[in-house]
Amino acid sequence: MKKVVTIFLAIIVFISVIFLTFILNINILTDSQVIKDIAKDLDYLELVDIKGNSSNLKDYYNELYSSLQKNDVSQEMISQIYEMDFFNIVTSSIIYNKIASILDMSNDKYYIRDPYHHFTKEELDILLDEEFNKNGFNDDKILDLMKENNVNIIEIERVVGNGISMVIENNIVRYMLGYPFKIILVCLITISIILLYLMNKEKYLPYIFVPVILSSFLVLVLSLFLKRIITYFVLDSFLLEFVNPFVKIFSNNLLFSSLILLFISAIYLMINEFISNMYKKKIKPKIKIRKYDEDFM
């Protein structure tokens, strides 16, 4: 019975560590500053040239570039336009605010609106005016073209928002990403460790750290193949370009977390093995001396 309970507790540690590692890294990924940094690194002009099947999202995004070309705007000017912070602000705001509205996260001062509020054309027009003034652009024709395109940005927000909702709006997923579930996992791990210690005082460390090592190894493998898995499920090549930077950060974080857990677990097991060997060396001579004394007598 003791062995069965011990194995059951080890399985709880194994599952809880996997869930906790994933959830903490998802929470890091949904941080406003992380989203802002990823959005800032995107090459928005390069996204126009993405080849693949046509989709509403791709068509909405390419509309601005097409309208600028049709109105004889130079390629140099187009490049300067796509380098503005406007696209970075809009992209990061759409992603963060939609996630915030689903997970009830607090709003961030960086963003221009309430997390439950959708972009309006007037807000985007004001943001464009600010960005044009900041960058020293004074071409009213280009500004008007971009303001006309703000209708497409609103549509992009709707499409992206629906996509995010499909992934995380499920009540179970929302609960698992919330604060109470993380506390439950930490409590499960803590209680399991205490019980494992009380039941296996002499050899409790392997029962704790072997499940941690196995869970860390599983997370490590998943982190290495996550991009391939996402590529298999996301068939839209244009959408994939938006998703890939987030997947890369998430995969790297998972890899880093799993390596830290593996390192800590391996060190503890090595220390435990070293102490056990030292203890055996001290016990064996005493046994031999006692046996010798008995034979002599």
Side-chain angles (χ1 to χ4, degrees):
M1 184 66 183
K2 176 183 173 183
K3 192 171 184 180
V4 173
V5 175
T6 298
I7 293 172
F8 178 72
L9 292 171
I11 291 172
I12 290 176
V13 173
F14 171 76
I15 295 172
S16 298
V17 169
I18 291 174
F19 272 102
L20 193 61
T21 304
F22 268 89
I23 290 168
L24 289 175
N25 280 289
I26 289 172
N27 289 150
I28 291 171
L29 190 66
T30 55
D31 179 74
S32 61
Q33 188 59 46
V34 174
I35 292 173
K36 178 184 173 182
D37 291 340
I38 295 172
K40 191 174 182 180
D41 289 337
L42 286 170
D43 189 334
Y44 294 96
L45 184 57
E46 191 176 284
L47 290 171
V48 175
D49 295 325
I50 297 298
K51 306 298 180 185
N53 297 328
S54 180
S55 63
N56 285 337
L57 189 62
K58 189 175 190 301
D59 293 340
Y60 290 139
Y61 188 83
N62 288 351
E63 185 61 34
L64 173 62
Y65 185 81
S66 299
S67 65
L68 292 172
Q69 280 194 323
K70 288 174 184 176
N71 285 273
D72 300 322
V73 179
S74 68
Q75 192 61 40
E76 183 183 355
M77 187 61 190
I78 291 175
S79 298
Q80 291 177 1
I81 289 169
Y82 276 89
E83 288 172 2
M84 288 194 309
D85 285 339
F86 175 77
F87 297 96
N88 156 38
I89 293 172
V90 169
T91 301
S92 51
S93 185
I94 287 174
I95 295 171
Y96 174 77
N97 283 283
K98 185 57 184 177
I99 293 173
S101 66
I102 295 170
L103 300 181
D104 295 324
M105 294 157 58
S106 60
N107 196 23
D108 191 289
K109 293 180 180 178
Y110 169 75
Y111 298 93
I112 60 175
R113 63 218 171 94
D114 181 276
Y116 297 94
H117 176 68
H118 294 281
F119 271 126
T120 64
K121 189 175 182 306
E122 289 73 22
E123 287 173 337
L124 291 170
D125 289 348
I126 292 170
L127 185 58
L128 264 177
D129 287 329
E130 292 174 355
E131 286 300 307
F132 261 62
N133 290 331
K134 187 173 76 175
N135 288 276
F137 299 151
N138 54 12
D139 193 319
D140 291 336
K141 183 182 78 170
I142 295 176
L143 181 60
D144 290 340
L145 286 171
M146 292 192 69
K147 286 183 177 180
E148 288 174 11
N149 186 69
N150 283 339
V151 176
N152 289 320
I153 291 177
I154 293 171
E155 288 300 314
I156 288 173
E157 180 183 30
R158 180 183 61 80
V159 174
V160 172
N162 290 339
I164 294 173
S165 297
M166 287 176 64
V167 177
I168 64 174
E169 199 163 31
N170 182 284
N171 286 334
I172 296 175
V173 176
R174 290 180 65 181
Y175 180 75
M176 289 175 65
L177 294 177
Y179 184 75
F181 189 66
K182 289 195 285 287
I183 297 299
I184 291 171
L185 289 175
V186 171
C187 290
L188 282 173
I189 293 171
T190 304
I191 292 169
S192 298
I193 289 173
I194 292 171
L195 291 175
L196 285 169
Y197 171 73
L198 293 174
M199 294 174 65
N200 306 275
K201 288 184 179 180
E202 293 181 0
K203 297 181 179 180
Y204 72 96
L205 281 177
Y207 290 110
I208 296 171
F209 287 106
V210 169
V212 174
I213 288 173
L214 291 175
S215 60
S216 301
F217 183 74
L218 179 60
V219 171
L220 188 150
V221 172
L222 286 171
S223 71
L224 295 176
F225 290 96
L226 187 60
K227 187 174 180 179
R228 288 188 181 182
I229 296 169
I230 296 295
T231 304
Y232 179 79
F233 285 103
V234 181
L235 301 177
D236 189 332
S237 55
F238 178 75
L239 181 59
L240 198 59
E241 286 299 313
F242 275 104
V243 172
N244 275 337
F246 292 90
V247 174
K248 184 179 178 181
I249 295 292
F250 185 59
S251 298
N252 290 341
N253 289 344
L254 284 179
L255 180 63
F256 184 68
S257 301
S258 61
L259 288 175
I260 288 176
L261 287 174
L262 282 171
F263 178 76
I264 293 171
S265 301
I267 291 295
Y268 267 93
L269 288 176
M270 288 170 63
I271 292 171
N272 179 62
E273 188 66 22
F274 178 76
I275 292 172
S276 298
N277 290 335
M278 290 289 291
Y279 182 73
K280 287 176 184 177
K281 287 178 181 178
K282 289 180 180 180
I283 295 295
K284 283 181 180 179
K286 290 181 180 179
I287 294 173
K288 288 180 180 179
I289 291 170
R290 187 178 299 172
K291 188 175 180 181
Y292 176 80
D293 290 342
E294 289 174 356
D295 292 340
F296 182 77
M297 291 173 68

